[in-house]
Amino acid sequence: MAGARSGASPTVLEAGVHRPGLMRRHSDRVLPVHELIVVQAGMLPIREEDRRFEVRRDKWVLLRAGRRHFGYDDLDRETWFYWVCFGDTPPDAGIDEATIVPGRRTGTVARPGRVRAHFEHLLEDQHRAILSPAVARSHLQLLLAEMRLPAKAEGRDEAAPTLAGRASAFIAEHLSEPGLSTARIARALACSPDYLGRVFRAAFDETLTEHIHGLRVDRARALFRSTGLPADRVAAAVGFGDVGYFRRIFKRRVGLTSGQFRRLRPSAEDEGPRPRGVDH
């Protein structure tokens, strides 16, 4: 999809999802546009010329136009991320990245759920061919505004020495286990469920159950995009023991049934042509 130039505002060229297992190592290339990547699971090992980044869950990185970037290590099987390429046309018109995310090349997402929703809306409009240049710029500005927000809780990092961070790490490690619950997490962290619930909500602005459901639905969306597994097997793979309950949670969080979502998302073979130089 090509975007039209409009003054100094950056234009979306294309957005997408890197599915788990899609490639062993990130491509080695130089793009004529900027690329924003937001990791949803796993870790993306990527280098831009002399700078090296380890981009983990709920972290973002901005790769600049005209600079070589490449994966310096293999991706694990769980890694997946959203990406959006943007810039003015022609490429040499130049966008000062300092005006996009002032003074920063990487950071922590302050509101992961909001960012996921923005990407999903952008991808839906792109797939339905209703992404006009003005609408594309609006989506992009919302995303960039989220990148500029200061992170409220560094406890999102698995290594952070806080109770909320330890709970987040435990959830990520045991997400596919049906027995995962607040009581089980509290036992593992040697604290009371009520206290853990209060601490976690203060740090992440959501309950433990909401956090677990959000991550499981995110994984389910990735599986629906990248596999032909039926809903019951997807539900089991992401930790739901009851497929009916999974369907209700999926519909509540995504706004579509699992069948509607799968039909909306094209397979890799059905996706349209990408902008020149953009290949995920």
Side-chain angles (χ1 to χ4, degrees), residues 1-127:
M1 180 189 71
R5 188 177 178 186
S6 175
S9 299
T11 299
V12 174
L13 297 180
E14 187 161 357
V17 181
H18 171 88
R19 304 174 179 89
L22 185 62
M23 61 184 174
R24 184 178 178 188
R25 185 174 294 205
H26 197 280
S27 305
D28 185 339
R29 74 268 182 98
V30 178
L31 295 181
V33 290
H34 298 294
E35 180 177 16
L36 174 68
I37 294 174
V38 183
V39 172
Q40 301 299 300
M43 191 272 281
L44 172 65
I46 196 163
R47 186 168 186 145
E48 184 186 87
E49 297 187 348
D50 60 344
R51 293 197 62 174
R52 176 170 159 163
F53 303 98
E54 291 185 357
V55 193
R56 299 182 183 275
R57 182 174 65 85
D58 293 342
K59 302 283 186 178
W60 60 267
V61 62
L62 177 67
L63 304 172
R64 292 176 291 185
R67 299 205 174 192
R68 179 191 175 208
H69 61 262
F70 57 94
Y72 62 81
D73 201 355
D74 291 344
L75 301 170
D76 63 41
R77 291 183 300 173
E78 298 295 318
T79 299
W80 71 280
F81 53 83
Y82 293 110
W83 57 269
V84 57
C85 290
F86 60 96
D88 275 1
T89 49
D92 60 4
I95 297 176
D96 179 5
E97 63 273 4
T99 68
I100 299 169
V101 185
R104 299 164 67 196
R105 298 290 310 289
T106 187
T108 301
V109 176
R111 302 189 295 181
R114 185 71 59 87
V115 169
R116 285 192 289 270
H118 286 326
F119 266 111
E120 289 297 330
H121 293 154
L122 170 57
L123 291 169
E124 181 176 344
D125 286 354
Q126 177 178 272
H127 174 59

Side-chain angles (χ1 to χ4, degrees), residues 8-276:
S9 299
T11 299
V12 174
L13 297 180
E14 187 161 357
V17 181
H18 171 88
R19 304 174 179 89
L22 185 62
M23 61 184 174
R24 184 178 178 188
R25 185 174 294 205
H26 197 280
S27 305
D28 185 339
R29 74 268 182 98
V30 178
L31 295 181
V33 290
H34 298 294
E35 180 177 16
L36 174 68
I37 294 174
V38 183
V39 172
Q40 301 299 300
M43 191 272 281
L44 172 65
I46 196 163
R47 186 168 186 145
E48 184 186 87
E49 297 187 348
D50 60 344
R51 293 197 62 174
R52 176 170 159 163
F53 303 98
E54 291 185 357
V55 193
R56 299 182 183 275
R57 182 174 65 85
D58 293 342
K59 302 283 186 178
W60 60 267
V61 62
L62 177 67
L63 304 172
R64 292 176 291 185
R67 299 205 174 192
R68 179 191 175 208
H69 61 262
F70 57 94
Y72 62 81
D73 201 355
D74 291 344
L75 301 170
D76 63 41
R77 291 183 300 173
E78 298 295 318
T79 299
W80 71 280
F81 53 83
Y82 293 110
W83 57 269
V84 57
C85 290
F86 60 96
D88 275 1
T89 49
D92 60 4
I95 297 176
D96 179 5
E97 63 273 4
T99 68
I100 299 169
V101 185
R104 299 164 67 196
R105 298 290 310 289
T106 187
T108 301
V109 176
R111 302 189 295 181
R114 185 71 59 87
V115 169
R116 285 192 289 270
H118 286 326
F119 266 111
E120 289 297 330
H121 293 154
L122 170 57
L123 291 169
E124 181 176 344
D125 286 354
Q126 177 178 272
H127 174 59
R128 297 172 72 179
I130 59 174
L131 196 65
S132 68
V135 172
R137 284 193 295 274
S138 297
H139 282 302
L140 179 62
Q141 293 298 343
L142 287 170
L143 282 169
L144 295 178
E146 290 292 331
M147 301 308 108
R148 296 185 189 108
L149 291 177
K152 294 185 296 183
E154 287 302 320
R156 295 182 191 282
D157 190 329
E158 286 96 346
T162 66
L163 184 60
R166 288 164 56 208
S168 177
F170 187 88
I171 290 169
E173 184 177 354
H174 299 274
L175 188 63
S176 62
E177 299 172 13
L180 188 62
S181 65
T182 299
R184 181 184 171 195
I185 298 166
R187 284 196 302 272
L189 301 182
C191 64
S192 82
D194 288 345
Y195 176 68
L196 177 61
R198 290 195 301 272
V199 168
F200 193 90
R201 182 156 195 164
F204 290 92
D205 196 28
E206 61 182 352
T207 67
L208 283 155
T209 299
E210 289 169 343
H211 188 73
I212 292 167
H213 285 170
L215 292 178
R216 284 176 170 172
V217 167
D218 287 341
R219 283 196 182 179
R221 287 196 286 204
L223 286 173
F224 281 136
R225 289 191 185 98
S226 59
T227 74
L229 292 175
D232 58 341
R233 292 187 59 188
V234 169
V238 302
F240 284 98
D242 181 342
V243 66
Y245 184 54
F246 163 71
R247 292 181 192 275
R248 291 194 296 274
I249 296 298
F250 191 94
K251 175 72 181 297
R252 184 186 306 161
R253 297 190 70 96
V254 179
L256 300 169
T257 67
S258 58
Q260 290 170 334
F261 181 83
R262 192 193 291 276
R263 287 193 295 273
L264 178 65
R265 307 297 172 180
S267 67
E269 293 77 12
D270 294 334
E271 290 177 353
R274 300 189 181 280
R276 186 178 224 174

